[in-house]
Amino acid sequence: MKQIDRESMSALVKLGFFFAITGIATLILALTLSNGSFSSRTTYKAMFSDATGVTKGDDVRIAGVAVGSVKNVQIVDRDKALVTFGVDSKVPLTANTHVTIKFRNLVGQRYMALTQGAEGAKSVLKKDTVIPESRTTEALDLNVLLKGFKPVFQALSPGDTNKFAYEIVQTLQGESGNVENLLARTSSLTNTLA
């Protein structure tokens, strides 16, 4: 009978270890998916005339590296959007920080890109400072752009259309190394149409 108790105790210990490891793995996964971080964050706000597509949890990036996330988006004065976001405390923002909403992908997900202004201001922004609309830029409206290309896209294969649209977005957001890829794709497009 003591042997059955030992087997039961062994199974109980194994079950305990399983639950502990599974719980830790689930916590790590949840933190990763929610952009969670154990470091403290400083909250800032940015005023936009249009913050379409920006949602809670979207990335805030500097030079392509995620340094924070969007906390809230609210309407102000019936025609403006106030975006509240948190940035890691070890990455202070300066008085000439510029905020741009960019497309993360062609599906429409967005992120906020922070850049340093040309003046090189050294004064650090205080917590809850509102970055004015003069230092923010809305995302490019892809619907208007792509509707203009509708007749062209109808003549292309879906794969070519996706490549062309992706290169347009990269070029217009300044993320492409050069414009040569876009021009080569446009040349190929015009040759196909001809």
Side-chain angles (χ1 to χ4, degrees):
M1 186 137 185
K2 288 183 180 181
Q3 190 174 17
I4 294 174
D5 289 341
R6 286 182 186 167
E7 289 175 9
S8 298
M9 187 59 110
S10 173
L12 187 61
V13 169
K14 289 178 184 177
L15 184 64
F17 279 127
F18 172 76
F19 281 135
I21 291 172
T22 304
I24 291 170
T26 303
L27 178 65
I28 291 171
L29 179 64
L31 285 173
T32 302
L33 292 177
S34 68
N35 291 329
S37 170
F38 292 113
S39 64
S40 62
R41 290 197 168 166
T42 305
T43 302
Y44 301 100
K45 298 177 182 181
M47 188 70 71
F48 290 92
S49 62
D50 183 7
T52 303
V54 177
T55 60
K56 181 179 179 180
D58 285 348
D59 283 348
V60 175
R61 300 179 183 185
I62 295 177
V65 178
V67 294
S69 63
V70 174
K71 292 184 174 185
N72 188 21
V73 180
Q74 62 190 38
I75 297 171
V76 177
D77 297 332
R78 299 176 66 160
D79 65 344
K80 306 259 187 270
L82 183 65
V83 179
T84 304
F85 61 97
V87 176
D88 293 339
S89 295
K90 61 186 176 190
V91 184
L93 302 185
T94 59
N96 66 348
T97 298
H98 191 86
V99 185
T100 305
I101 298 173
K102 292 191 173 187
F103 278 86
R104 186 172 174 182
N105 52 37
L106 286 176
V107 176
Q109 292 177 312
R110 312 286 207 279
Y111 71 93
M112 290 177 41
L114 305 176
T115 55
Q116 186 73 13
E119 303 87 45
K122 305 244 185 228
S123 60
V124 176
L125 290 179
K126 294 179 182 173
K127 181 180 178 178
D128 292 325
T129 299
V130 177
I131 298 171
E133 196 175 345
S134 62
R135 291 198 333 256
T136 63
T137 306
E138 294 77 31
L140 171 71
D141 190 354
L142 286 180
N143 291 332
V144 173
L145 177 67
L146 295 177
K147 281 182 184 177
F149 284 107
K150 188 174 181 179
V152 175
F153 289 154
Q154 290 175 341
L156 294 174
S157 71
D160 289 338
T161 301
N162 288 339
K163 287 178 187 175
F164 185 63
Y166 182 71
E167 288 172 7
I168 288 172
V169 170
Q170 279 189 315
T171 302
L172 293 175
Q173 290 192 154
E175 295 175 3
S176 179
N178 55 31
V179 183
E180 291 177 22
N181 289 338
L182 179 62
L183 294 176
R185 185 73 59 198
T186 305
S187 172
S188 171
L189 170 68
T190 55
N191 287 337
T192 301
L193 292 175

